[in-house]
Amino acid sequence: DFVGWARSETGYGYLRIKRVDLVDVLLEAVRREGIEIRFGVRVTGIEGGVVSTESGDEEADLVLGCDGIHSFVRKVVVDPGLVGVYSGIAGSFSIVPSSRLPAQSTDLMTGLHGMMTEEGMFMVNPCTANKDEVMWGFSREVQLPESGKDGRDGWEETRKAEVEGFREYLLKVLAKASGEWGSVVKDLVCNTSSINFYPVYRLPLGGRWYKGRCLLLGDAAHAMSPHAGQGTSMALEDVFLLSRLLEDSSRPLSQVFTKFDEIRRPRVDEIYMQAVKNGAARKKTGPWGLWMKELGFGMLMNVSSALGLDKRGYGQKHLVYDIDEVEL
């Protein structure tokens, strides 16, 4: 149990939520507070605290760039020279309704399941508590596609020939998977009707996060690989810390930004490097390389269990963190 100690310390372990469900919860909270959201508005420029859009200019005390790895706010104000770089790893994934799978298939799905293959890492996990949908993902080392698609943001493939071709490829990758679980993962792939492709980009460490009245949050400041499963968590921690810092109305904005950077950067750098480390398991290898990976992982689990390292927080210390308790 890789989160057992963290669960005992905090009351919860990992929680996977469909992004669309999380967005719905956040939108409803915003509506309850009476905060206006304007969709379809394109920002064309930022000068000091003046934000220009296609419909005119507005002056703000504070401009928050929460606009992702390809941030416009970062590009035109905060750190124009910092751009996302391809990590060398790309993900492919799909969500399959459980109703398409053989009966009792989901009984085996108790959490996040990872399978090492020579081509990369194949993962399976339920999307919801009642397991009515199951997500599979395949993370692997791959060159960027030389196509007209915008590889930075990924795309969804629904064309029959493309989907069938990738299904055949995955079934070859999973050919050695045997037993009941092997049948389950192959059924998942066979019942896939659309596939999402997502090249993984990240920002180099050390970039600037603020300038003037502008502050970057989340991926706009510190986009990282998803292989630590903490990207959204880092954005949420950003917001909670900024909220605490802004509660003191006597604190100048420059001090707010400086303190924000001072507190957040060590934490973000730690999780960033954990994600880089975890990404190494996705790299392509041969039969002997795969055997070495499986042997090393098996030894790690056995030693951890024998010495009780998992019960002492080995590999889990980064999960026990409360941004509301950090000293300001």
Side-chain angles (χ1 to χ4, degrees), residues 77-94:
V77 179
V78 179
D79 196 348
L82 191 69
V83 296
V85 295
Y86 179 50
S87 67
I89 304 294
S92 310
F93 64 92
S94 187

Side-chain angles (χ1 to χ4, degrees), residues 180-241:
E180 194 173 9
W181 181 248
S183 299
V184 167
V185 295
K186 291 169 186 173
D187 284 332
L188 267 173
V189 173
C190 289
N191 284 282
T192 296
S193 58
S194 65
I195 299 174
N196 292 272
F197 297 93
Y198 191 82
V200 177
Y201 279 74
R202 62 191 180 210
L203 289 176
L205 290 175
R208 189 168 185 169
W209 291 357
Y210 62 89
K211 184 178 181 181
R213 297 191 206 174
C214 297
L215 173 67
L216 303 176
L217 298 178
D219 279 358
H222 45 68
M224 60 185 67
S225 303
H227 306 129
Q230 295 294 305
T232 301
S233 298
M234 293 300 99
L236 291 172
E237 289 179 7
D238 283 354
V239 173
F240 275 87
L241 177 62

Side-chain angles (χ1 to χ4, degrees), residues 6-25:
R7 188 185 298 110
S8 68
E9 294 290 317
T10 65
Y12 56 89
Y14 279 123
L15 179 63
R16 288 186 169 267
I17 306 173
K18 286 176 65 178
R19 186 176 294 268
V20 65
D21 292 338
L22 176 60
V23 170
D24 284 344
V25 169

Side-chain angles (χ1 to χ4, degrees), residues 13-265:
Y14 279 123
L15 179 63
R16 288 186 169 267
I17 306 173
K18 286 176 65 178
R19 186 176 294 268
V20 65
D21 292 338
L22 176 60
V23 170
D24 284 344
V25 169
L26 296 174
L27 284 174
E28 179 57 32
V30 168
R31 291 190 188 102
R32 285 199 307 267
E33 294 295 325
I35 299 171
E36 180 187 8
I37 297 180
R38 280 175 283 171
F39 294 96
V41 176
R42 181 179 295 276
V43 177
T44 57
I46 302 172
E47 186 69 37
V50 178
V51 179
S52 302
T53 69
E54 295 165 333
S55 57
D57 296 343
E58 294 186 48
E59 187 168 6
D61 297 314
L62 170 64
V63 179
L64 298 178
C66 314
D67 47 344
I69 187 172
H70 309 302
S71 170
F72 179 82
V73 181
R74 188 184 68 244
K75 180 179 178 181
V76 301
V77 179
V78 179
D79 196 348
L82 191 69
V83 296
V85 295
Y86 179 50
S87 67
I89 304 294
S92 310
F93 64 92
S94 187
I95 293 177
V96 180
S98 301
S99 58
R100 295 185 190 172
L101 304 175
Q104 285 79 51
S105 292
T106 57
D107 291 347
L108 297 175
M109 301 176 191
T110 57
L112 173 62
H113 303 268
M115 296 174 60
M116 293 181 184
T117 75
E118 292 179 23
E119 296 292 317
M121 178 82 74
F122 189 85
M123 294 159 288
V124 176
N125 67 271
C127 295
T128 56
N130 63 9
K131 302 180 182 180
D132 61 340
E133 292 181 310
V134 177
M135 188 198 87
W136 65 257
F138 186 51
S139 186
R140 57 180 175 143
E141 189 176 22
V142 65
Q143 291 184 342
L144 281 176
E146 296 179 2
S147 68
K149 300 180 186 298
D150 186 355
R152 298 182 313 165
D153 298 312
W155 65 92
E156 181 181 38
E157 190 62 77
T158 57
R159 290 179 298 179
K160 185 177 179 181
E162 296 284 349
V163 172
E164 287 184 351
F166 196 76
R167 277 200 306 239
E168 290 178 9
Y169 164 73
L170 273 182
L171 289 173
K172 289 180 180 178
V173 171
L174 299 169
K176 295 179 182 179
S178 58
E180 194 173 9
W181 181 248
S183 299
V184 167
V185 295
K186 291 169 186 173
D187 284 332
L188 267 173
V189 173
C190 289
N191 284 282
T192 296
S193 58
S194 65
I195 299 174
N196 292 272
F197 297 93
Y198 191 82
V200 177
Y201 279 74
R202 62 191 180 210
L203 289 176
L205 290 175
R208 189 168 185 169
W209 291 357
Y210 62 89
K211 184 178 181 181
R213 297 191 206 174
C214 297
L215 173 67
L216 303 176
L217 298 178
D219 279 358
H222 45 68
M224 60 185 67
S225 303
H227 306 129
Q230 295 294 305
T232 301
S233 298
M234 293 300 99
L236 291 172
E237 289 179 7
D238 283 354
V239 173
F240 275 87
L241 177 62
L242 179 62
S243 299
R244 290 183 63 202
L245 290 169
L246 290 174
E247 284 178 346
D248 181 359
S249 58
S250 67
R251 192 192 300 264
L253 203 57
S254 59
Q255 289 185 16
V256 169
F257 290 172
T258 301
K259 180 59 69 171
F260 178 89
D261 192 300
E262 176 187 316
I263 293 174
R264 289 300 294 148
R265 200 170 288 271

